[in-house]
Amino acid sequence: MRGPLGAVIGRYPSSDGNAQMGGIIRHNRKCRDIVFLVIFIAFWVGMIVNSSFGFNQGNPLRLTYGLDYKGNVCGDKHANPGLRELELKYWLNPNQVYQSGLKDSQFKLADARSICLMDCPTPSEDSLNWVCDYPEGEIRLSMDDWIDRNYDYFEFLTPEMRNSSVNLQGPCYPVIFPSVNVYWSCQFLARPSNVSLTHWKMMGGMNIDADLIIDKSIHKSTNSRSSVLKRYMADIGKSWPVLIVCGGILPLFLAVIWLLMIRHFVAAMPWVTVVLFNILIVSVTMFYYLKAGWIGNDAITPIIGDHDPYVHIFGRELNHMRAAAVLMTFVMVVSVLTSIAIIRRIIMATSVLKVAAKVIGEVQALIIFPIIPYAILAIFYMLWLSAALHLFSSGQVVQNNCNSNCCAYDLASKLVNCNHCCGYSIRYTRHIDIAIFFHLFGCYWATQFFVACSSTVIAGSVASYYWARGETSPEIPFLPVFSSMKRLARYNLGSMALGSLTVSFMESIRFILESIRRKLKVASTTPDSRIGRAVHNTSRFCLRCIEWIIKSVNRNAYIMIAITGKSFCKASAIATELIINNILRIGRVNVIGDVILFLGKLCVSLSSALFAFLMLDTHKYRSAHNKISSPLFPVLVCWGLGYVVATLFFGVVEMSIDTIILSFCQDSEEHQGTAQYAPPLLMETLNDQNEMQRLTQGPPSS
């Protein structure tokens, strides 16, 4: 049987029976869960090594731009030759593109000869245009002159060079097909220019295939899953100003405003939160509809820059946006109906929020304390995101092994070269997927760790207030927040590491199982029977429930760690026992309070998502090299960052309520059901059984 905690959290009696001073939350502490702190530090060392590998091997330009036939990344000013502003990948030989699209062909598009250009070439209306290889050897042109001549130096070719060019072996190639800039690759349109074809045939040029396959081959490459994932990651890198404003500054401002309004307008805040939540979720859903093309004419398009309005090219990003719009519609309907269902309970939420407002008014440092973990996380996220972009683009550029005929004229050696003419690809290390998962897991664990530390500091500060009977007392340190931070840093970092690791581990298991489920779905091996589907869905539901329970237990464990200084497991057991023994007394009040706070977090994060949509809809992100393929990922990242920031600041109210309720339960248990230290406002909220019944059940039916 667990003994009383009075000697730990209240005034404790001395041997002569007199009350001793200084016994508030500071008695009999020692370092806990040190092993897990060591594991956490070792994991951070691994994160640094893993990130160093990414910085050493990665190049974020690879996420956006392709490779030319020399293995250079388009747009790289350090390449040889320098390719600054030459960001578009263009395939020179149309027959190679056609051959790569044949069903049983061994020739791959990656082996087709490609160079980097500033814009996509177009066929001439009265003659034949040419695109020639980078100038070198006997071609005495600078790169700037080559660009000024629209990449055409056919008139300078020797007879031998002209003969190889007519045979589609370079160094110059005819522009027969119009092309359009699709995600920084010039995609051919299967509409060859009759004028250009006529001139080509008059020159004795070899036959050029003009089938639809030439269109589909490049389209298939640019819409592969790996290409889409790279573009999504590149979108996050390009939209870093949006992430700073909408994922950092805006939620900080909104969260502080919300805390101040809780302090001064607590009675109105639950109603304001519910109404604002409904407005925001409808607005964000409408933006998804706009970008999906279901409302208006502002759907996302893979085409960059000016183009023929009759040219329509669809990409995977549009399908993903439409899937997200459908999902948001479902979430919106459920959320609105749920918010309507809890309207009758809002008065109860007002009562419990008044207690938190009282605490914030007494311990005013709680309002500004979350800025400390906010600043730490902001620095961490910037470094982590930079490392993630390099890690996703890490690998070595190596030449492919191809057995196909890819002969091309080599200006340096002055002859047609059929050796080493294969294209280049990025070869990733064998364990790159593990490194990326390790990096993602580290981000989640670090986030949970800092949130846990913030929650524990707040709980320690609020507990000091409670066990002084809600009054300003000499026993409360002048700066309770900093005293709580000192106790955390000295004794409880290991417990924070264990608690955050538990949540991260469960989330990782759920992520892995979800990935397996999607792969099985793609492979059409999802259970077809009712029993199989029932087991499948039940397992997902149970995993969600377990995850929610662990997060709830962790939060209460952090409170008991702040109060008692016990280890994580012992504190979890104490908190669970207190809650079970008092579930009927505090359950309703606590749940409704949590629901309102959860809606408040969503209001802040939805505002971040809404403003991210607005910023990404400006000209800067819709054209030129800053164009993003889709606002989906940047908006989701802003949404997530906004929620993390809101969690840090709303944790002040959330942990205040939970800490006071748990302290109240312990206080009542030690004093035969009557709390001795509870502030009057809390006693009024929790002990008035007639008022509780009226608030929760409504007026009696006549």
Side-chain angles (χ1 to χ4, degrees):
M1 177 66 69
R2 176 172 55 81
L5 299 176
V8 178
I9 56 180
R11 298 185 180 186
Y12 54 94
S14 65
S15 57
D16 60 0
N18 296 323
Q20 300 291 322
M21 304 298 287
I24 296 180
I25 315 183
R26 290 181 297 180
H27 182 64
N28 193 29
R29 287 180 180 261
K30 62 181 181 180
C31 294
R32 307 285 186 179
D33 302 315
I34 300 178
V35 174
F36 291 95
L37 179 59
V38 173
I39 294 175
F40 184 70
I41 294 174
F43 187 89
W44 267 88
V45 173
M47 282 280 289
I48 294 174
V49 174
N50 195 47
S51 299
S52 300
F53 168 79
F55 283 114
N56 184 46
Q57 297 289 333
N59 181 359
L61 286 177
R62 299 172 185 167
L63 298 174
T64 301
Y65 308 117
L67 303 177
D68 66 7
Y69 76 92
K70 293 187 175 184
N72 298 318
V73 180
C74 292
D76 186 359
K77 62 182 179 181
H78 301 294
N80 184 23
L83 300 177
R84 184 177 181 179
E85 297 185 355
L86 300 176
E87 301 172 340
L88 276 62
K89 182 175 182 178
Y90 178 75
W91 285 270
L92 293 167
N93 192 334
N95 276 4
Q96 288 183 340
V97 176
Y98 175 85
Q99 186 179 354
S100 67
L102 296 176
K103 185 175 182 182
D104 299 323
S105 175
Q106 298 298 319
F107 190 84
K108 305 299 181 183
L109 185 63
D111 295 321
R113 199 170 185 84
S114 60
I115 61 174
C116 302
L117 305 179
M118 190 176 292
D119 47 25
C120 293
T122 57
S124 172
E125 296 181 356
D126 54 9
S127 62
L128 179 62
N129 287 345
W130 298 84
V131 171
C132 301
D133 199 351
Y134 303 129
E136 58 180 335
E138 294 183 354
I139 305 300
R140 310 290 184 181
L141 288 176
S142 66
M143 289 293 290
D144 290 336
D145 292 335
W146 175 66
I147 295 172
D148 292 339
R149 296 180 60 87
N150 291 324
Y151 328 108
D152 182 0
Y153 52 75
F154 184 79
E155 62 183 276
F156 300 143
L157 299 185
T158 64
E160 180 184 2
M161 293 180 185
R162 293 195 178 199
N163 183 60
S164 63
S165 297
V166 170
N167 291 318
L168 290 180
Q169 292 181 338
C172 293
Y173 297 82
V175 180
I176 303 298
F177 297 92
S179 58
V180 62
N181 182 356
V182 175
Y183 297 135
W184 293 275
S185 293
C186 293
Q187 177 170 325
F188 291 146
L189 303 179
R191 300 190 309 217
S193 168
N194 293 327
V195 174
S196 298
L197 271 177
T198 301
H199 281 80
W200 173 251
K201 292 177 180 179
M202 289 174 60
M203 294 180 64
M206 69 180 299
N207 182 58
I208 291 180
D209 298 298
D211 195 87
L212 285 174
I213 294 177
I214 199 171
D215 185 339
K216 295 180 179 178
S217 179
I218 299 177
H219 184 266
K220 182 179 179 181
S221 174
T222 55
N223 279 278
S224 64
R225 291 185 177 180
S226 60
S227 297
V228 173
L229 180 58
K230 288 179 181 179
R231 288 198 293 270
Y232 280 148
M233 290 301 300
D235 290 343
I236 297 175
K238 293 176 184 177
S239 58
W240 64 266
V242 179
L243 302 187
I244 292 177
V245 174
C246 299
I249 299 176
L250 179 64
L252 170 65
F253 175 76
L254 294 178
V256 171
I257 292 295
W258 198 90
L259 282 181
L260 292 175
M261 293 185 70
I262 279 287
R263 172 70 182 90
H264 299 286
F265 307 101
V266 63
M269 281 309 295
W271 298 98
V272 172
T273 300
V274 172
V275 173
L276 189 60
F277 166 73
N278 288 324
I279 294 174
L280 287 172
I281 196 168
V282 172
S283 300
V284 171
T285 303
M286 292 301 102
F287 262 100
Y288 275 100
Y289 272 69
L290 283 170
K291 294 304 175 182
W294 290 341
I295 297 179
N297 298 312
D298 197 25
I300 58 175
T301 174
I303 303 177
I304 301 173
D306 298 331
H307 62 278
D308 188 340
Y310 294 101
V311 174
H312 298 285
I313 299 176
F314 295 92
R316 281 179 178 263
E317 286 84 352
L318 182 60
N319 293 332
H320 294 167
M321 184 62 70
R322 289 176 174 175
V326 173
L327 179 61
M328 279 300 301
T329 302
F330 174 77
V331 172
M332 178 189 68
V333 172
V334 173
S335 300
V336 171
L337 293 178
T338 302
S339 63
I340 294 175
I342 66 170
I343 287 180
R344 295 179 60 189
R345 314 284 183 175
I346 288 182
I347 300 179
M348 186 190 305
T350 302
S351 301
V352 74
L353 288 176
K354 285 181 180 178
V355 179
K358 175 71 173 176
V359 176
I360 295 174
E362 296 293 336
V363 190
Q364 297 184 6
L366 287 175
I367 295 181
I368 62 174
F369 161 73
I371 294 179
I372 297 176
Y374 167 85
I376 295 174
L377 275 177
I379 296 172
F380 167 73
Y381 282 147
M382 285 188 288
L383 295 175
W384 182 90
L385 182 58
S386 179
L389 292 174
H390 282 82
L391 197 59
F392 269 87
S393 61
S394 61
Q396 295 181 338
V397 178
V398 296
Q399 192 167 27
N400 303 328
N401 293 321
C402 63
N403 298 319
S404 304
N405 180 17
C406 56
C407 299
Y409 193 92
D410 187 350
L411 287 171
S413 59
K414 304 178 183 179
L415 51 81
V416 176
N417 186 0
C418 295
N419 299 320
H420 307 292
C421 60
C422 301
Y424 284 79
S425 299
I426 300 173
R427 179 176 296 172
Y428 297 98
T429 58
R430 293 191 304 172
H431 305 297
I432 187 64
D433 52 345
I434 298 177
I436 292 175
F437 179 79
F438 185 85
H439 198 68
L440 293 173
F441 180 83
C443 177
Y444 194 80
W445 190 4
T447 300
Q448 292 297 325
F449 177 81
F450 289 120
V451 170
C453 291
S454 176
S455 300
T456 306
V457 170
I458 295 170
S461 306
V462 175
S464 298
Y465 165 83
Y466 178 92
W467 292 99
R469 290 186 170 89
E471 300 175 357
T472 303
S473 168
E475 289 188 55
I476 296 183
F478 178 72
L479 293 174
V481 173
F482 291 101
S483 297
S484 185
M485 291 173 62
K486 181 180 177 181
R487 291 193 298 272
L488 171 71
R490 185 174 180 181
Y491 301 112
N492 304 125
L493 288 179
S495 299
M496 302 301 100
L498 176 55
S500 56
L501 176 61
T502 304
V503 176
S504 303
F505 183 71
M506 285 302 303
E507 188 69 20
S508 299
I509 292 178
R510 191 176 68 82
F511 175 79
I512 292 172
L513 292 179
E514 184 68 17
S515 300
I516 294 174
R517 183 190 69 83
R518 290 182 178 179
K519 288 184 178 179
L520 291 176
K521 185 176 181 180
V522 172
S524 300
T525 56
T526 307
D528 294 328
S529 65
R530 289 185 177 181
I531 297 177
R533 287 196 299 269
V535 172
H536 179 73
N537 294 328
T538 302
S539 62
R540 293 178 61 192
F541 176 76
C542 291
L543 205 61
R544 279 280 190 182
C545 292
I546 293 173
E547 179 190 354
W548 180 83
I549 292 172
I550 287 178
K551 287 184 178 180
S552 179
V553 170
N554 275 16
R555 191 173 65 188
N556 293 311
Y558 298 148
I559 295 172
M560 298 313 297
I561 288 172
I563 295 176
T564 67
K566 300 293 183 182
S567 66
F568 176 80
C569 295
K570 187 64 179 293
S572 299
I574 295 173
T576 302
E577 183 178 345
L578 283 175
I579 292 173
I580 292 176
N581 292 340
N582 297 271
I583 189 65
L584 295 178
R585 194 174 193 184
I586 67 172
R588 290 176 176 176
V589 174
N590 201 19
V591 169
I592 294 299
D594 286 348
V595 169
I596 295 298
L597 290 173
F598 177 66
L599 293 181
K601 295 176 188 177
L602 288 180
C603 284
V604 172
S605 57
L606 284 169
S607 299
S608 298
L610 184 62
F611 276 87
F613 265 124
L614 293 173
M615 287 190 67
L616 293 170
D617 204 36
T618 58
H619 178 74
K620 177 180 179 180
Y621 299 104
R622 293 167 61 95
S623 62
H625 64 277
N626 277 326
K627 176 181 170 64
I628 59 173
S629 63
S630 169
L632 183 59
F633 263 50
V635 167
L636 290 178
V637 171
C638 289
W639 194 338
L641 291 175
Y643 190 84
V644 171
V645 174
T647 298
L648 290 175
F649 283 86
F650 284 35
V652 173
V653 178
E654 198 170 19
M655 295 303 291
S656 296
I657 294 172
D658 291 345
T659 302
I660 286 183
I661 287 178
L662 276 181
S663 299
F664 174 84
C665 293
Q666 177 61 33
D667 193 7
S668 299
E669 186 173 306
E670 291 191 5
H671 297 93
Q672 291 77 44
T674 302
Q676 298 295 318
Y677 291 88
L681 184 58
L682 179 65
M683 294 294 295
E684 178 184 346
T685 301
L686 293 177
N687 282 342
D688 192 347
Q689 297 297 328
N690 293 332
E691 182 70 6
M692 288 281 290
Q693 183 176 5
R694 185 185 71 80
L695 293 177
T696 58
Q697 296 181 0
S701 57
S702 55

